[in-house]
Amino acid sequence: MTWQEIWNGIVDFFTVGGLALLKAIGLWIIGYIVVRIIMLILSKILSKTKLEKVTQGFFLSVIKFALYLILLIMVLGQLGVDITGLVAALAAAGLAIGLALQDSLSNVASGVVLLVNHPFKEGDNVKIDGIEGTVKDIKILTTTIITSDNKVITFPNSTVANNAIINYDHEKKRRIELNITVSYDTDVDLVKKVITDVVTSDGRVQLEPAPFCAVKFFNENGIGLFVHCWCPSKDYWDVYYYIMDNIFNEFKRNNIKIPYKQVEVRLRDDNVVLPYREAKLPERVEAEKVEDDKDEDSFVGFFKKMDITHKNHSKDKKAKKEKKAKKNKKEKNKIILQDENAQAKTADSQVAEEKTENKDENT
């Protein structure tokens, strides 16, 4: 190969394929810069919203992937690759991946819904699927909470989204509710005063709305009172334990009785004589044996009845046939007898006619 041929090959490469390659490289560089600018602008916009950082990162990742995919398709088209076939192949691959990862995609979709609707945030005290704890982490696939006994529980986001969510810290204040029972011989006004004094003695309890105490029910144990007051959500359990502890202490101080179930035991000193009959037991007398009809109402008894009914029906049918045959035989014999009588009468009349003819001849 001469230098001229090599030079011609290089010229052909840059004039035909090389020019397309250079255009594709230039398109990729420009597209890369444009994508970076778009992502920077979107990042600043989302940072000013109330969305969680996890949500912002998820949306930015999805948008970034979509932009780079479009850029790649444009570059391949510039190089002469059949874009239609490529798009069809990507669609088929996406469908196959979606079917294989449908559970994970369900968790992703539920995670997006949770992050957008914002039913709770990190640090909130919540109850999910009957389990109460503090939210530790919210991700696209899972949500993690820590229970009061320091257990770490991770829920798939599909489970979180499909169950009722109780958020105890969503509002700034929370109401404490108590049901207290006292005996019937207690001064109810005194009980109300003692409970109200205990509740208002804690500075974390809000005076607006004012604490409430009233008689709620009467039962076999005593008088039931309903008590409630408001406090900051973060202080709920501290205030709750303070009120319960001090109500019990003040009840003892004021001689207020809390009823509980009791068992009364009495000792008897007298001799108890139980009455009885003087007559002895009678002698055994054998009873007549009877057929056991216990199967009459059973499944087997039903078919036994059906069999008996069928047999009776067969007997009745056979008897009817025999009766009919006898009747037919009787009628047949009657017809034969009538024929014989008719023939006999005919013969007698012929003999009488012959006698008459002979008598006339003799005369």
Side-chain angles (χ1 to χ4, degrees):
M1 180 180 290
T2 62
W3 288 105
Q4 185 64 36
E5 292 176 350
I6 295 173
W7 175 253
N8 291 335
I10 294 172
V11 171
D12 291 339
F13 172 78
F14 281 102
T15 55
V16 181
L19 184 60
L21 180 60
L22 291 175
K23 288 181 179 180
I25 294 173
L27 180 61
W28 175 264
I29 294 172
I30 295 172
Y32 178 78
I33 295 172
V34 172
V35 170
R36 292 294 300 270
I37 293 172
I38 292 173
M39 295 304 300
L40 183 61
I41 295 171
L42 290 176
S43 178
K44 290 183 178 180
I45 293 173
L46 291 175
S47 63
K48 295 180 180 180
T49 62
K50 295 182 179 180
L51 294 175
E52 295 285 341
K53 291 183 179 180
V54 178
T55 311
Q56 297 178 21
F58 174 75
F59 284 132
L60 290 174
S61 299
V62 172
I63 295 171
K64 186 177 181 180
F65 175 78
L67 291 175
Y68 277 121
L69 181 61
I70 294 171
L71 178 60
L72 178 61
I73 293 173
M74 292 173 64
V75 171
L76 293 175
Q78 185 64 39
L79 292 173
V81 179
D82 186 8
I83 299 177
T84 305
L86 179 62
V87 172
L90 290 175
L95 179 60
I97 293 172
L99 292 175
L101 301 176
Q102 54 183 344
D103 293 337
S104 298
L105 292 177
S106 174
N107 289 327
V108 170
S110 300
V112 173
V113 171
L114 292 174
L115 293 172
V116 172
N117 291 337
H118 205 66
F120 51 79
K121 63 181 184 299
E122 293 182 11
D124 283 352
N125 186 24
V126 298
K127 189 174 185 179
I128 302 173
D129 197 19
I131 300 175
E132 184 176 345
T134 303
V135 178
K136 178 184 179 183
D137 193 14
I138 307 171
K139 296 181 180 179
I140 293 299
L141 293 175
T142 60
T143 297
T144 304
I145 67 173
I146 301 178
T147 61
S148 58
D149 55 351
N150 212 32
K151 293 179 182 177
V152 179
I153 302 177
T154 302
F155 295 97
N157 282 335
S158 58
T159 301
V160 179
N162 293 327
N163 283 278
I165 302 171
I166 302 176
N167 190 343
Y168 296 108
D169 293 337
H170 187 271
E171 300 297 329
K172 293 182 179 180
K173 63 180 181 179
R174 187 175 170 188
R175 192 170 80 171
I176 298 174
E177 297 180 355
L178 304 173
N179 287 301
I180 299 174
T181 304
V182 296
S183 61
Y184 280 103
D185 57 355
T186 305
D187 185 353
V188 175
D189 293 332
L190 176 61
V191 174
K192 290 181 180 180
K193 182 180 182 305
V194 169
I195 293 175
T196 303
D197 291 343
V198 171
V199 171
T200 54
S201 65
D202 193 326
R204 294 167 293 187
V205 175
Q206 298 180 1
L207 300 180
E208 289 295 334
F212 177 82
C213 180
V215 175
K216 184 179 181 180
F217 58 84
F218 303 97
N219 58 22
E220 67 278 6
N221 295 325
I223 304 171
L225 292 96
F226 177 65
V227 183
H228 71 70
C229 61
W230 292 87
C231 70
S233 297
K234 61 184 181 65
D235 298 325
Y236 176 85
W237 289 110
D238 292 335
V239 176
Y240 180 90
Y241 295 135
Y242 170 85
I243 292 174
M244 292 296 292
D245 180 64
N246 285 278
I247 283 177
F248 182 64
N249 187 67
E250 291 300 311
F251 276 12
K252 291 188 292 183
R253 186 195 303 276
N254 291 274
N255 198 25
I256 298 173
K257 297 179 181 179
I258 299 176
Y260 51 89
K261 292 184 178 180
Q262 303 180 27
V263 178
E264 184 175 341
V265 180
R266 296 183 181 180
L267 297 176
R268 298 186 61 170
D269 297 330
D270 55 328
N271 294 325
V272 180
V273 179
L274 299 178
Y276 61 92
R277 293 191 299 269
E278 294 291 341
K280 296 182 179 180
L281 291 175
E283 294 183 1
R284 175 182 173 82
V285 178
E286 293 291 339
E288 296 181 0
K289 293 184 178 180
V290 295
E291 294 183 359
D292 190 4
D293 297 333
K294 64 180 180 180
D295 290 336
E296 289 185 357
D297 296 330
S298 65
F299 188 72
V300 177
F302 171 75
F303 282 99
K304 286 183 178 180
K305 290 182 179 179
M306 291 294 294
D307 186 47
I308 293 171
T309 304
H310 178 69
K311 289 180 179 178
N312 292 336
H313 180 69
S314 299
K315 289 180 180 179
D316 293 340
K317 191 174 181 180
K318 186 176 180 181
K320 287 181 180 179
K321 286 183 178 180
E322 292 177 353
K323 186 176 180 181
K324 187 175 180 180
K326 288 180 180 179
K327 185 177 180 181
N328 293 336
K329 186 176 181 181
K330 187 176 180 181
E331 290 179 354
K332 187 176 181 180
N333 294 332
K334 186 177 179 181
I335 292 171
I336 294 171
L337 183 62
Q338 289 177 355
D339 291 340
E340 291 178 352
N341 292 334
Q343 292 177 1
K345 287 180 180 180
T346 303
D348 291 340
S349 59
Q350 289 180 356
V351 171
E353 288 179 356
E354 290 178 355
K355 289 180 178 179
T356 304
E357 291 177 353
N358 293 329
K359 187 178 180 181
D360 292 338
E361 290 178 356
N362 295 325
T363 304

